[in-house]
Amino acid sequence: MSPDTLAVLVAAALFTGVLAYGVLGGADFGSGLYDLMAGDARRGAALRTRVDHSLGPVWEANHVWLVFVLVVWWTGFPRAFAAAMDTLAIPLALALLGIVLRGSTFAFRKHAEGLRQARLLGAVFALSSVLTPFFLGTVAGAIASGRVPLDERGDRVAAWVNPTSLVGGVVAVGTCAFLGGVFLTADAVRSQETALAVWLRRRTLAVGVVTGALVFAGLLPLRADAPVLWAGLTGRALPLVVVAALAGLATLGLLASGRTSLARVPAVLAVVAVLSGWGVGQYPYLLVDHATLVQAAGAPATLAALLIAVGIAAVVVLPALGMLLWFAQTDHRDDHRHGRHHVDRPEAGDATQAGTASASAIARRTASA
């Protein structure tokens, strides 16, 4: 197999990981925006409990794809990886901080010692859920606009504080929120939480409309600020742009008609089309204007070994991840089928509800004290 072919195949594996993280991690991050909009402890209790139930089984597994992307990137394209880590150290560090804070507060808020602590941890979880995809989006914008040179350090501020990067950050937050809302709405419907499902459906529809407008309005600055990406999006990637628009409209239509489970399919398709449009739009560049896939690739022997490792990982890991996601999407349905209900679901009249099962216990302990 030729070195050029090896480079393209490794890049395809890398971008597959980006797509998986964009969908699974994106839905994960998107839930945080609704947590942020949920209101005080009493009004937001049902939503926060739903977030805990929906994310609990899968939130750690979703980040497997981020690890996969980073490993394939630094192994297959080490010079490009080093260049991005150097020039984009600030947004990458902030994104990493957001991931750590988000994961730790998601876990710790279930065991908070008081209502004030539970609310603080919840606020950090919600804010980091928004800021992390924003900074990851700015990284994508910096690369796509040609601000990451291969063999020298770029401007560590201007590289990610520019029109394309800011558009990328805002679009990342919006698409994550839209996808997360679609999945949370379907989960609420499946668990027969009617009032919560209505609340989520209305806000997801609003987020979807705003995000769609932002995606297409965000194309306008690209013509001057990221001409390579603009040429790709209006050329060979244009069919993907059309697919993204149609899939987004289909998702909104299905949500509006109450077909929430089916709405997940075009929602995922829309996110995949948006991400694929970015990848196809800047092809064959890995670092736009500075290095193509072939130019940035590592040694052919390394690429071949990496492809073998990726194949083994796919055989070993993908079935387990698929089973995890399947169980996560069927457990609540089975509970209702057999007449079982979650004992920690918040009641509408519990004025001391903190938003999660642990917060309920905290409120009771506080009241008794």
Side-chain angles (χ1 to χ4, degrees):
M1 190 178 296
S2 70
D4 291 6
T5 303
L6 286 172
V8 172
L9 289 177
V10 170
L14 171 65
F15 199 72
T16 299
V18 172
L19 294 177
Y21 190 59
V23 172
L24 300 175
D28 191 336
F29 285 123
S31 64
L33 179 63
Y34 299 92
D35 194 304
L36 194 63
M37 294 190 299
D40 60 24
R42 182 177 181 180
R43 287 183 294 129
L47 183 278
R48 294 186 177 107
T49 301
R50 168 54 40 212
V51 169
D52 282 355
H53 287 170
S54 297
L55 296 188
V58 298
W59 70 274
E60 290 179 294
N62 290 336
H63 293 295
V64 168
W65 295 107
L66 178 60
V67 175
F68 172 83
V69 168
L70 293 175
V71 170
V72 173
W73 191 5
W74 86 53
T75 306
F77 307 94
R79 291 170 62 205
F81 179 85
M85 294 300 112
D86 191 2
T87 298
L88 301 174
I90 295 175
L92 287 169
L94 291 172
L96 177 59
L97 178 63
I99 290 172
V100 172
L101 288 176
R102 184 178 185 276
S104 58
T105 53
F106 179 74
F108 292 155
R109 73 174 180 173
K110 300 181 183 67
H111 308 287
E113 293 297 329
L115 290 175
R116 182 177 299 176
Q117 187 181 79
R119 288 167 178 161
L120 174 62
L121 293 172
V124 175
F125 165 76
L127 287 172
S128 57
S129 296
V130 174
L131 294 177
T132 301
F134 174 81
F135 288 119
L136 292 175
T138 64
V139 168
I143 292 173
S145 59
R147 290 181 166 91
V148 183
L150 182 62
D151 293 320
E152 61 185 50
R153 177 183 298 173
D155 190 316
R156 282 187 166 175
V157 176
W160 62 281
V161 182
N162 58 75
T164 302
S165 290
L166 296 178
V167 165
V170 172
V171 168
V173 172
T175 53
C176 288
F178 182 52
L179 189 59
V182 171
F183 275 83
L184 284 174
T185 303
D187 284 351
V189 170
R190 188 174 61 244
S191 298
Q192 301 179 11
E193 298 171 289
T194 305
L196 177 60
V198 171
W199 187 94
L200 281 166
R201 184 166 63 91
R202 289 174 178 170
R203 282 156 182 79
T204 302
L205 285 169
V207 168
V209 171
V210 172
T211 300
L214 288 174
V215 168
F216 288 95
L219 294 175
L220 299 178
L222 301 184
R223 184 169 188 175
D225 196 58
V228 172
L229 182 61
W230 169 262
L233 290 174
T234 55
R236 58 179 171 271
L238 184 59
L240 291 168
V241 176
V242 174
V243 169
L246 294 177
L249 290 173
T251 305
L252 293 175
L254 290 170
L255 276 179
S257 64
R259 303 172 70 180
T260 55
S261 293
L262 188 58
R264 293 176 295 183
V265 177
V268 170
L269 179 59
V271 174
V272 169
V274 168
L275 291 172
S276 298
W278 162 49
V280 173
Q282 74 171 52
Y283 182 82
Y285 285 106
L286 183 59
L287 300 178
V288 171
D289 291 336
H290 298 284
T292 66
L293 297 174
V294 174
Q295 292 169 343
T302 301
L303 297 180
L306 183 58
L307 285 175
I308 294 173
V310 168
I312 295 172
V315 172
V316 174
V317 176
L318 289 182
L321 285 176
M323 184 174 294
L324 174 64
L325 292 172
W326 185 81
F327 280 127
Q329 290 296 305
T330 56
D331 60 343
H332 302 303
R333 181 187 299 155
D334 291 341
D335 285 344
H336 285 285
R337 182 183 298 134
H338 296 292
R340 298 191 300 271
H341 298 274
H342 296 288
V343 297
D344 56 352
R345 179 173 297 162
E347 299 297 333
D350 186 358
T352 61
Q353 182 60 256
T356 62
S358 62
S360 298
I362 293 167
R364 289 193 294 270
R365 291 200 302 268
T366 304
S368 64

